[in-house]
Amino acid sequence: MKAVILAAGRGTRLEPVTSDMSKCMLPIVGKPLLEHILNSVKKTGIKEIILIVGYKKEKIIDHFNDGAKLGLKINYIEQKEMKGTAQAIGLAKLDTDFLVLNGDTLVSFEDINNIVKNHKTATTIGVMKVENPSNYGVVKIENGNVKAIVEKPKKFVSNLANAGIYVFSPKIFEAIKKTKKSERGEYEITTSIEILIEEGEKIKGIELKNKWSDIGNPWNYLDSNNTILRAMDTKIEGIVEENVQIKGTIILGKNSVIKSGTYIEGPVYIGEDTVVGPNAFIRSFTSLGNNCRVGNAVELKNSIINDNTNVPHLSYVGDSIIGKNCNFGAGTLVGNLRLDEKSVKMRIKDELTDTGRRKMGCVVGDNVKTGLNVMINSGRKIGSNSMIGPGVVIYQDIPKDTFVVKKQELEMR
Ligand code: UD1
């Protein structure tokens, strides 16, 4: 069996961290999200992969090449215009049954395997109970058979979401040809599946048993980082100086150094060539990329900090995502809790969205610099290449390529 992975999308809800890469390339614990997906697929015995690529495809192709390094055979199909998941799958044109996965969804190997091994009908779909079904394709199931599938329903249909993992027979290609544009203006695979149901085909729904994350929003990216970190074992390839306290699991990459006086509460991931400390406090579910610097009196918690970024002195970063090549001036602080303790809101595609989290920090793009004593309020975003002058308090989102300075009136006596 071959696997088709849909990786052409841009991930606008994750801006600004996706301004320079497709969301399937977002690093999670040292590997792009897509690599975690490919490793799980490979464990099922599937070796031949078709990657549907589009946005920033060069970076995907550069990284995975022909797949030989992962023990896979990868072929690429370019989706020139993003017209929806049905159009993307339709490009694969296969004549035997095949597995399909969304390239932005983490599914465990056990669940993929279970769906592949139990595929006996025209289509098998992985489903998952969710709290907010209106954000998904929702599936109505009777005795294990899918009776209806409704994309992003406005009224409650069921709390079982389509998890974005399917095994299709070639019958799906006929249904894709008959698929009309949805009210969202896309050719959606859920419409094609609905056509198969109307034509009397048997569609099986299998509930996933393990944690599943769809990396749509920044807070889902943090959740996925947590899921992967939780499953890791300690591996120390770098140097740990004397008087460092380590509790829980830690992965420390080659040539990295944890300097004296540092306190680490795992699970924590630290990439290669990174220096932490002296006297830093790294709390659980933090992932630090390669070639980062985290210095004296810096506290990091539940955050993703990407390659070549420095948080060198007297800073706090919690529940946040920081891009590549950033530099935080001494005293830069991130707020992650509202004073009224209500859930934090974040602007996603111009809409103020409830993150559902009591604690959520900021999202910062690549190449951002902050001056001394910058404060970033909870739920705020700073676009790539922006510079924030000393003493600025970030109460609103800052677009990319912006230089923000604070005006102050001084009284001279
Ligand atoms: C999709 C499903 C939804 C399901 C959810 C699970 C559709 C129409 N909806 O919604 O039923 O509950 O996943 O997470 O499929 N992509 C392409 N080309 C395109 C469009 C998308 O390659 O033209 C890729 C994206 O890069 C992404 C995946 O397909 O990896 C899913 O697309 P996305 O638009 O995120 O779908 P959802 O709204 O999450």
Side-chain angles (χ1 to χ4, degrees):
M1 189 183 276
K2 290 185 183 176
V4 175
I5 300 181
L6 309 181
R10 177 176 180 147
T12 32
R13 282 176 289 162
L14 283 148
E15 291 279 1
V17 278
T18 48
S19 61
D20 189 39
M21 67 173 117
S22 137
K23 69 173 154 178
C24 69
M25 292 305 282
L26 286 175
I28 304 182
V29 187
K31 289 190 187 91
L33 162 63
L34 187 52
E35 195 166 326
H36 290 284
I37 298 174
L38 288 170
N39 283 336
S40 297
V41 171
K42 187 183 145 192
K43 272 172 108 180
T44 68
I46 296 176
K47 297 274 161 63
E48 283 191 56
I49 310 286
I50 297 172
L51 276 186
I52 309 293
V53 292
Y55 178 69
K56 302 279 177 191
K57 65 176 192 310
E58 300 75 16
K59 290 203 168 154
I60 303 177
I61 298 170
D62 256 23
H63 184 87
F64 293 107
N65 237 297
D66 60 0
K69 271 196 199 146
L70 295 181
L72 295 166
K73 189 167 170 262
I74 301 180
N75 283 304
Y76 299 88
I77 298 180
E78 185 182 357
Q79 188 187 14
K80 290 208 166 72
E81 261 184 279
M82 286 266 302
K83 289 188 179 165
T85 45
Q87 192 220 22
I89 295 168
L91 297 171
K93 295 194 188 99
L94 294 165
D95 51 17
T96 51
D97 290 12
F98 59 102
L99 170 71
V100 171
L101 285 165
N102 284 352
D104 60 351
T105 306
L106 269 182
V107 191
S108 70
F109 148 70
E110 289 80 10
D111 281 320
I112 301 175
N113 205 34
N114 194 26
I115 289 164
V116 170
K117 298 287 171 314
N118 288 297
H119 167 71
K120 295 186 178 78
T121 50
T123 295
T124 307
I125 307 181
V127 297
M128 186 75 187
K129 276 199 189 89
V130 290
E131 280 167 13
N132 45 347
S134 59
N135 293 343
Y136 297 95
V138 168
V139 173
K140 227 179 179 173
I141 293 191
E142 281 171 28
N143 303 322
N145 295 316
V146 177
K147 293 294 168 193
I149 182 161
V150 189
E151 189 63 29
K152 320 266 161 41
K154 295 196 176 80
K155 282 193 207 143
F156 184 82
V157 178
S158 121
N159 63 351
L160 275 182
N162 159 25
I165 161 163
Y166 325 79
V167 182
F168 289 117
S169 78
K171 283 180 184 160
I172 195 66
F173 295 112
E174 287 309 309
I176 288 172
K177 277 187 202 149
K178 294 176 199 159
T179 299
K180 300 214 162 58
K181 255 191 197 171
S182 70
E183 59 186 74
R184 287 161 295 280
E186 290 190 11
Y187 298 96
E188 297 179 325
I189 196 62
T190 39
T191 317
S192 319
I193 297 169
E194 190 64 36
I195 292 172
L196 287 181
I197 297 170
E198 280 162 17
E199 289 177 350
E201 294 293 345
K202 219 171 177 189
I203 316 276
K204 204 166 175 198
I206 296 184
E207 202 169 331
L208 308 189
K209 293 194 172 70
N210 297 307
K211 192 145 171 44
W212 164 87
S213 346
D214 158 37
I215 305 176
N217 294 306
W219 50 96
N220 308 129
Y221 182 23
L222 288 175
D223 284 344
S224 304
N225 183 56
N226 288 13
T227 306
I228 299 282
L229 271 175
R230 242 180 255 278
M232 307 288 290
D233 295 321
T234 289
K235 187 174 178 193
I236 297 181
E237 291 181 291
I239 297 163
V240 179
E241 287 187 357
E242 269 181 37
N243 295 324
V244 170
Q245 289 282 329
I246 298 177
K247 314 273 174 197
T249 49
I250 175 172
I251 298 117
L252 180 67
K254 287 182 192 130
N255 301 321
S256 286
V257 184
I258 305 180
K259 293 193 170 177
S260 183
T262 297
Y263 193 98
I264 298 199
E265 288 174 345
V268 157
Y269 171 82
I270 299 170
E272 298 179 1
D273 302 305
T274 284
V275 180
V276 175
N279 303 321
F281 181 21
I282 315 294
R283 294 169 59 192
S284 51
F285 300 110
T286 295
S287 276
L288 273 171
N290 298 331
N291 197 32
C292 294
R293 298 281 173 275
V294 173
N296 177 50
V298 172
E299 178 174 339
L300 306 178
K301 175 228 163 193
N302 188 38
S303 293
I304 299 169
I305 296 184
N306 283 320
D307 296 353
N308 308 316
T309 284
N310 301 331
V311 190
H313 340 263
L314 306 161
S315 284
Y316 174 71
V317 180
D319 306 283
S320 296
I321 300 161
I322 317 295
K324 299 187 291 278
N325 311 317
C326 294
N327 194 72
F328 278 14
T332 296
L333 301 173
V334 175
N336 61 339
L337 175 69
R338 287 167 55 121
L339 290 175
D340 60 10
E341 299 207 9
K342 285 188 178 154
S343 57
V344 173
K345 291 193 174 61
M346 189 174 268
R347 202 162 275 285
I348 305 288
K349 282 171 113 181
D350 286 333
E351 207 175 297
L352 204 57
T353 306
D354 192 340
T355 65
R357 287 171 164 248
R358 204 169 66 92
K359 295 209 174 152
M360 182 73 207
C362 62
V363 182
V364 173
D366 296 337
N367 314 313
V368 169
K369 291 188 171 57
T370 65
L372 301 175
N373 285 344
V374 166
M375 285 187 245
I376 308 170
N377 220 9
S378 55
R380 297 297 162 257
K381 294 179 175 181
I382 303 178
S384 295
N385 314 317
S386 286
M387 292 190 281
I388 316 295
V392 171
V393 182
I394 302 289
Y395 274 121
Q396 65 193 80
D397 289 357
I398 306 297
K400 62 178 181 167
D401 305 318
T402 308
F403 191 3
V404 184
V405 282
K406 183 176 166 179
K407 276 192 191 162
Q408 62 177 7
E409 246 176 68
L410 296 182
E411 207 178 271
M412 304 287 180
R413 292 188 180 175

